[in-house]
Amino acid sequence: MSVEVKSKTRSDKKRDIKPTIAIQLYEAVSRLSYITDTPIKDVSVTICKRGLYAHPVLEYLSDYFRRDYWANNQTLYTGELENEKYQTKKGITKRRITMRFTQRDYDQLARLAYALDLTISSATGLLLELALKNTDVFHSLVAMHINKELDPGRMKQLREIIKYINRHNPYETISFGHVVTMIMEDIKDHTVTMTESVKQWIDEHTSK
């Protein structure tokens, strides 16, 4: 007698989400990938995961929630069917980006999409854009994930990302100087040069 054995689903199996995003957003994420020396698929996932729990991002999105959304066990955003549905931009050049999420993160994105009355793909693309433009998310990504010296090429790409972020930013305008200040704010010894301070900050935080 033969017995059929069903294969178990891996608990760490990841789910693909492939949103089509504006080419300018894709280029900004690509630059961040270069600056941090991290694959673009990993950078984009990190941005989205941080955006899922960034208060300014969720506050902005809450105006478009058409159904209730539990951000976590303690925070509920009330949705209204009468709320305006978020409309993606029309007539712009777009490019597909591939991201892979754990089942847990995928489920949270699905809940967000349901609250926004969007597809998971569209909601993820929207989250990627809004999260990248959030000051805290951007600063933490640049500061905590850089593992190479800030050479002229990377500094140039950093400035280009800041230009993109400040274009139609729903939160606040940020400057290159502001970013450097954020990176250096934990440095207590100001007798060293700025370059040395930035390197010291990076060494301290990437070694944790």
Side-chain angles (χ1 to χ4, degrees):
M1 181 179 67
S2 63
V3 177
E4 181 179 355
V5 179
K6 294 184 179 180
S7 59
K8 293 183 178 179
T9 301
R10 288 179 52 179
S11 60
D12 61 346
K13 183 179 180 181
K14 295 189 175 182
R15 303 282 301 272
D16 285 355
I17 300 180
K18 301 178 180 181
T20 303
I21 61 176
I23 191 66
Q24 292 85 354
L25 174 58
Y26 185 92
E27 290 173 350
V29 177
S30 179
R31 289 190 176 101
L32 191 55
S33 168
Y34 168 69
I35 291 171
T36 60
D37 195 29
T38 306
I40 189 170
K41 61 183 179 62
D42 295 334
V43 168
S44 56
V45 167
T46 300
I47 294 171
C48 287
K49 288 172 64 175
R50 293 185 182 222
L52 273 172
Y53 304 100
H55 181 71
V57 175
L58 295 178
E59 280 293 313
Y60 179 83
L61 285 174
S62 65
D63 288 339
Y64 300 97
F65 285 156
R66 308 187 77 192
R67 302 182 182 92
D68 293 350
Y69 175 68
W70 282 97
N72 51 55
N73 291 334
Q74 291 80 35
T75 308
L76 170 66
Y77 289 90
T78 303
E80 299 289 344
L81 285 175
E82 294 76 18
N83 284 347
E84 177 185 1
K85 184 175 180 179
Y86 188 91
Q87 299 295 326
T88 56
K89 298 175 182 177
K90 308 288 186 182
I92 60 174
T93 304
K94 295 184 178 182
R95 178 169 178 173
R96 190 175 300 280
I97 185 170
T98 300
M99 293 178 269
R100 302 194 73 199
F101 293 91
T102 63
Q103 186 64 51
R104 178 181 178 181
D105 292 327
Y106 182 91
D107 291 342
Q108 188 67 26
L109 287 166
R111 287 189 284 270
L112 178 67
Y114 182 72
L116 289 166
D117 197 17
L118 296 174
T119 64
I120 295 180
S121 177
S122 295
T124 303
L126 173 59
L127 180 66
L128 178 65
E129 178 179 5
L130 294 174
L132 179 60
K133 291 180 177 180
N134 176 254
T135 304
D136 291 338
V137 172
F138 176 68
H139 283 161
S140 64
L141 282 168
V142 171
M144 300 295 285
H145 292 273
I146 276 187
N147 54 23
K148 285 192 175 182
E149 181 180 351
L150 290 177
D151 55 49
R154 283 180 168 77
M155 296 289 268
K156 179 180 179 181
Q157 296 302 321
L158 182 58
R159 288 189 174 92
E160 289 300 318
I161 297 176
I162 293 171
K163 288 180 183 178
Y164 166 78
I165 289 175
N166 285 331
R167 222 174 278 134
H168 310 297
N169 194 331
Y171 311 112
E172 59 180 314
T173 300
I174 62 174
S175 67
F176 180 78
H178 188 195
V179 173
V180 173
T181 299
M182 290 290 292
I183 292 176
M184 294 178 61
E185 70 176 357
D186 290 337
I187 299 295
K188 306 302 180 184
D189 182 8
H190 295 287
T191 62
V192 296
T193 65
M194 178 179 292
T195 300
E196 290 171 335
S197 295
V198 172
K199 288 181 181 178
Q200 180 182 338
W201 193 98
I202 293 170
D203 290 341
E204 289 181 355
H205 287 74
T206 56
S207 62
K208 293 181 179 180

